[in-house]
């Protein structure tokens, strides 16, 4: 039971960041119908921006997290404005190729800028772990969970309780009618892509200090984000959050009781099983945003 408690706590911490990844990706798909292959690289960008602000510039650790998120949102806005807006209305094959090209460019820019050597981000939090009964957890991971839950809650409130969120949901339901009602659809698309990109960058900024930062770290993150979206149902924000925690629990329990070498495989095994019995995802519904 002691070991199980530790695995549950570890899964909760990873689940928070996985949920951020999944929500960011499903938000973009739900409103824009864009399969965002750059999502993993925006995750890596968040980690590198965290390294730049916190380690190179020496800024406050928590301020660096905020700046990394803003940087992710800024790059997402540029991608939407320069690549996606001119091709709005194009077939899905065209936009997929655009996103794949942007993914390759971003990854190579990161490699050219930072090199192939892994970077580490020191944490100012105490090294002595927090011990609660049989569970031991570092203060850095506690912070990661807290910030992740805050961002998830803030995103939910934004989508469901604000005028901007209402405009985003209206655009998802019927973009043409939303435009007739005075909604600036172009601005909503840019805002949506920026928000989704910022959530991906937030996950990278939070996990960068926990692990190490490399140019290819976004590849696996991108696969996991798609797995989470498939689990939760395409376009379902609540489902993406739940799917993130489900994937984290599957990985942690599989690594703890089967083999750590199969950590990543366990999550994708669950995806296969889910798709066999429920191809639309566990939480798919007719109105998926919010």
């Amino acid at each position: 039971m002691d070991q199980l408690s530790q695995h549950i706590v570890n899964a909760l911490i990873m689940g928070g960041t996985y949920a951020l990844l999944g929500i960011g990706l499903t938000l973009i798909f739900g409103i824009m119908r864009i399969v965002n292959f750059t999502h993993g690289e925006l995750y890596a960008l968040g980690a590198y921006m965290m390294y730049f602000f916190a380690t190179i510039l020496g800024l406050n650790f928590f301020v660096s997290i905020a700046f990394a998120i803003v940087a992710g949102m800024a790059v997402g806005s540029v991608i939407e404005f320069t690549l996606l807006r001119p091709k709005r209305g194009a077939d899905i094959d065209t936009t997929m190729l655009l996103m794949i090209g942007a993914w390759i460019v971003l990854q190579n820019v990161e490699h050219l800028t930072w090199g192939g050597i892994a970077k580490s981000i020191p944490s100012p939090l105490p090294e002595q772990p927090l011990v609660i009964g049989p569970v031991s957890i570092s203060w850095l991971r506690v912070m990661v969970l807290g910030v992740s839950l805050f961002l998830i809650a803030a995103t939910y409130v934004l989508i469901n309780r604000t005028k901007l969120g209402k405009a985003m949901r209206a655009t998802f339901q019927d973009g043409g009618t939303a435009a007739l009602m005075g909604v600036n659809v172009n601005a909503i698309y840019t805002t949506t892509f920026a928000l989704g990109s910022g959530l991906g960058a937030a996950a990278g900024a939070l996990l960068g200090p926990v692990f190490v930062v490399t140019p290819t770290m976004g590849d696996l993150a991108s696969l996991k984000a798609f797995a989470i979206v498939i689990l939760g149902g395409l376009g379902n924000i609540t489902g993406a959050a739940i799917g993130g925690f489900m994937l984290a629990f599957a990985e942690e329990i599989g690594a703890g009781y089967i083999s750590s070498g199969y950590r990543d495989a366990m999550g994708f095994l669950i995806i296969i099983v889910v798709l066999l019995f429920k191809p639309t995802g566990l939480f798919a519904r007719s109105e998926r945003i919010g």
Side-chain angles (χ1 to χ4, degrees):
M1 288 300 299
D2 292 351
Q3 186 180 10
L4 178 61
S5 300
Q6 185 68 60
H7 287 311
I8 290 174
V9 171
N10 292 340
L12 283 172
I13 293 166
M14 291 303 298
T17 53
Y18 283 1
L20 290 177
L21 274 174
I23 291 171
L25 185 61
T26 203
L27 189 65
I28 292 170
F29 179 85
I31 292 179
M32 303 179 66
R33 293 292 188 268
I34 297 295
V35 182
N36 183 18
F37 286 103
T38 66
H39 202 61
E41 294 314 311
L42 290 163
Y43 164 86
L45 173 71
Y48 272 115
M49 289 297 95
M50 184 65 185
Y51 171 76
F52 174 72
F53 290 121
T55 304
I56 295 181
L57 296 185
L59 299 183
N60 177 272
F61 190 78
F62 296 98
V63 171
S64 298
I65 294 175
F67 282 179
I69 295 173
V70 172
M73 295 179 70
V75 172
S77 299
V78 171
I79 291 173
E80 195 283 328
F81 187 80
T82 59
L83 297 181
L84 296 176
R85 184 173 296 189
K87 295 297 181 181
R88 187 153 307 143
D91 57 81
I92 191 171
D93 294 340
T94 301
T95 56
M96 285 179 66
L97 288 173
L98 276 173
M99 290 294 95
I100 291 172
W103 161 33
I104 295 171
V105 169
L106 283 174
Q107 186 173 97
N108 281 275
V109 167
E110 289 164 354
H111 195 284
L112 181 65
T113 303
W114 304 104
I117 299 175
K119 312 291 186 183
S120 62
I121 303 172
S123 166
L125 299 174
E127 294 183 2
Q128 187 70 23
L130 172 65
V131 179
I132 304 175
V135 176
S136 175
I137 177 173
S138 71
W139 285 103
L140 176 60
R141 289 175 178 258
V142 173
M143 181 276 298
V144 168
L145 177 61
V147 175
S148 297
L149 293 178
F150 170 78
L151 291 174
I152 292 169
T155 303
Y156 182 84
V157 171
L158 173 66
I159 297 298
N160 293 280
R161 299 288 186 267
T162 67
K163 186 176 180 180
L164 174 61
K166 184 183 292 186
M168 292 168 71
R169 287 182 282 120
T171 303
F172 160 70
Q173 292 170 1
D174 191 329
T177 302
L180 290 174
M181 295 297 104
V183 175
N184 187 335
V185 174
N186 283 333
I188 291 297
Y189 282 147
T190 303
T191 301
T192 300
F193 203 93
L195 178 59
S197 301
L199 291 174
L206 291 171
L207 288 182
V210 176
F211 304 112
V212 292
V213 186
T214 65
T216 58
M217 65 185 292
D219 293 345
L220 186 57
S222 185
L223 290 175
K224 291 185 178 183
F226 279 105
I228 292 164
V229 169
I230 292 170
L231 266 178
L234 295 174
N236 187 335
I237 292 177
T238 304
I242 297 173
F245 284 99
M246 288 179 62
L247 180 62
F249 272 94
E251 290 183 354
E252 186 64 29
I253 298 302
Y257 292 99
I258 299 177
S259 170
S260 59
Y262 294 102
R263 171 183 290 273
D264 296 323
M266 293 303 297
F268 294 107
L269 179 62
I270 289 180
I271 300 301
I272 293 172
V273 174
V274 169
L275 289 178
L276 286 174
F277 295 98
K278 207 170 189 307
T280 57
L282 293 176
F283 307 101
R285 59 190 182 193
S286 57
E287 181 179 326
R288 294 176 293 187
I289 286 296

